[in-house]
Amino acid sequence: MAPSRIDVHAHLIPDFYRAALKAYDVPNDGGLPPPAWTPEAAVRFMDKFGIQTQVVSLSEPGLGFLPDAWSRDLMARQINDYIRQSLIGASAYSNLHRRFGGFASLPLGQADDPQEVAQSAQEAVRALNVLGLDGVGLYSNYKGIYLGDPRLDPLMRTLDNLGALVFIHPVAPPAGPDLSIPNFVLEFPFETTRAVTNLLYKGIFWRYPNIRWLLPHAGGTIPFLSYRSALLALNLDPRKSSYARLFFDTALSAAPPAMAAVRQITEVSHVLLGTDYPYSQLTYALKLPGDPNSELNDTFNATERQLVDRGNALAQLPNLAKRLGTK
């Protein structure tokens, strides 16, 4: 069968970005060295596991390591242009054609600088309205300023006006215990939880209802802590304190305990396939070709699997659906 799955949690590491990490002595990503990545290798991975398209985004550390607003703006534009021109815009005669979508990077490093927030809003508009990318990527925190902080409200208003799908990716917290454990193991799920709870507590979900939020790794610990964390919002209308309207990907979280918890707080239509490629290459290296996450069959029936693997992504990514010829 032709590849049909859509992977909404996958990453790109173009050579120019890798060179910038090296130039500024950024040694690792999530606690590990950045893995190898090329578009061609990504396609081989997709072919092995029946994935038609990966919607790629930039992982940790984002652009905050760059020294000034100008260099961050330049890098964000370069990454977004690369996704549009080299991946999405690949020739119909190329093996890359229709194999990629993308979430835009924004030039945000100093979230307490109103000009940088405004520049990020401008790049979001350009990425979605001019380049036709599929959504926007944001990080859990920007040097300790978490999503939900009022200083980010101008960006939230722009994303709301765009009706954007916003993919949250965790980054290292500003401080944490020294356990000698890579950040991706514990701190990444906790970072997602911190950011999403702050978004709830600061009223972002109801003040900007047109933003669709996509959470990685089954929402971190949000499903388990949904009742406890929602107690923060008891002063709100109960409909405004619900996590049910959020979207969750399955990246590195396909096992029944995580997926069963997600199903307790939202509908199947809000669960989307994710692999976390290429950071998860070791996880998938020993798997046989075919289904990348057969564990999902323990939680979803065959009809639901089709939605998780493909249908839900097409419903939330209209630009991608149009490029794939499904609408």
Side-chain angles (χ1 to χ4, degrees):
M1 295 179 62
S4 63
R5 296 184 174 96
I6 296 173
D7 178 1
V8 300
H9 186 157
H11 299 295
L12 77 164
I13 314 174
D15 290 341
F16 59 85
Y17 180 73
R18 190 185 300 275
L21 293 174
K22 183 177 181 180
Y24 289 97
D25 195 27
V26 180
N28 57 52
D29 183 346
L32 297 174
W37 179 88
T38 65
E40 292 77 15
V43 168
R44 290 193 293 271
F45 174 85
M46 286 189 264
D47 287 346
K48 178 179 179 180
F49 292 112
I51 298 168
Q52 180 180 14
T53 302
Q54 284 185 338
V55 185
V56 294
S57 57
L58 200 63
S59 185
E60 195 202 33
L63 306 182
F65 70 93
L66 294 169
D68 52 58
W70 179 85
S71 59
R72 289 189 283 271
D73 187 57
L74 183 65
M75 179 63 76
R77 294 174 69 90
Q78 189 175 4
I79 289 169
N80 296 335
D81 288 343
Y82 174 81
I83 293 173
R84 173 69 253 185
Q85 296 167 10
S86 299
L87 299 181
I88 292 177
S91 165
Y93 301 101
S94 165
N95 68 339
L96 305 184
H97 183 57
R98 293 185 177 179
R99 305 308 298 270
F100 293 96
F103 294 125
S105 292
L106 301 185
L108 188 59
Q110 299 289 347
D112 56 354
D113 182 345
Q115 185 172 351
E116 273 200 47
V117 174
Q119 282 182 321
S120 296
Q122 292 171 9
E123 181 59 15
V125 171
R126 187 184 81 94
L128 271 59
N129 289 350
V130 178
L131 300 182
L133 299 193
D134 299 296
V136 169
L138 293 179
Y139 297 105
S140 55
N141 83 80
Y142 293 87
K143 298 183 179 179
I145 296 176
Y146 278 82
L147 296 181
D149 191 287
R151 286 169 283 191
L152 296 173
D153 275 4
L155 176 58
M156 296 299 110
R157 283 194 292 272
T158 296
L159 296 174
D160 189 67
N161 291 336
L162 291 167
L165 181 65
V166 176
F167 175 59
I168 299 175
H169 199 277
V171 292
D178 183 10
L179 300 178
S180 300
I181 298 173
N183 281 331
F184 77 88
V185 178
L186 295 177
E187 289 304 325
F188 274 16
F190 296 157
E191 270 296 290
T192 300
T193 304
R194 293 180 186 110
V196 174
T197 303
N198 200 46
L199 287 166
L200 172 68
Y201 186 54
K202 298 298 171 49
I204 299 300
F205 297 145
W206 63 267
R207 287 197 288 127
Y208 303 105
N210 297 316
I211 301 175
R212 292 162 294 137
W213 298 93
L214 174 59
L215 312 188
H217 313 124
T221 64
I222 283 293
F224 180 81
L225 296 174
S226 59
Y227 175 78
R228 183 183 180 93
S229 60
L231 293 176
L232 291 169
L234 283 180
N235 61 316
L236 303 176
D237 183 314
R239 292 169 296 177
K240 297 173 182 176
S241 65
S242 173
Y243 292 117
R245 63 188 298 270
L246 306 180
F247 295 85
F248 300 79
D249 77 39
T250 68
L252 299 178
S253 306
M259 288 294 102
V262 170
R263 292 205 66 168
Q264 289 295 310
I265 63 171
T266 194
E267 302 293 330
V268 172
S269 61
H270 283 230
V271 184
L272 289 75
L273 180 74
T275 66
D276 219 336
Y277 178 88
Y279 297 90
S280 59
Q281 288 185 78
L282 291 177
T283 301
Y284 289 98
L286 299 179
K287 289 195 173 190
L288 297 174
D291 189 346
N293 291 122
S294 58
E295 307 96 319
L296 292 172
N297 294 329
D298 294 327
T299 306
F300 303 100
N301 63 38
T303 300
E304 292 169 337
R305 271 302 303 271
Q306 291 178 352
L307 293 173
V308 171
D309 284 354
R310 180 178 176 85
N312 295 340
L314 292 176
Q316 298 305 320
L317 300 167
N319 286 345
L320 175 63
K322 184 176 180 180
R323 293 195 303 273
L324 297 180
T326 61
K327 285 188 178 181

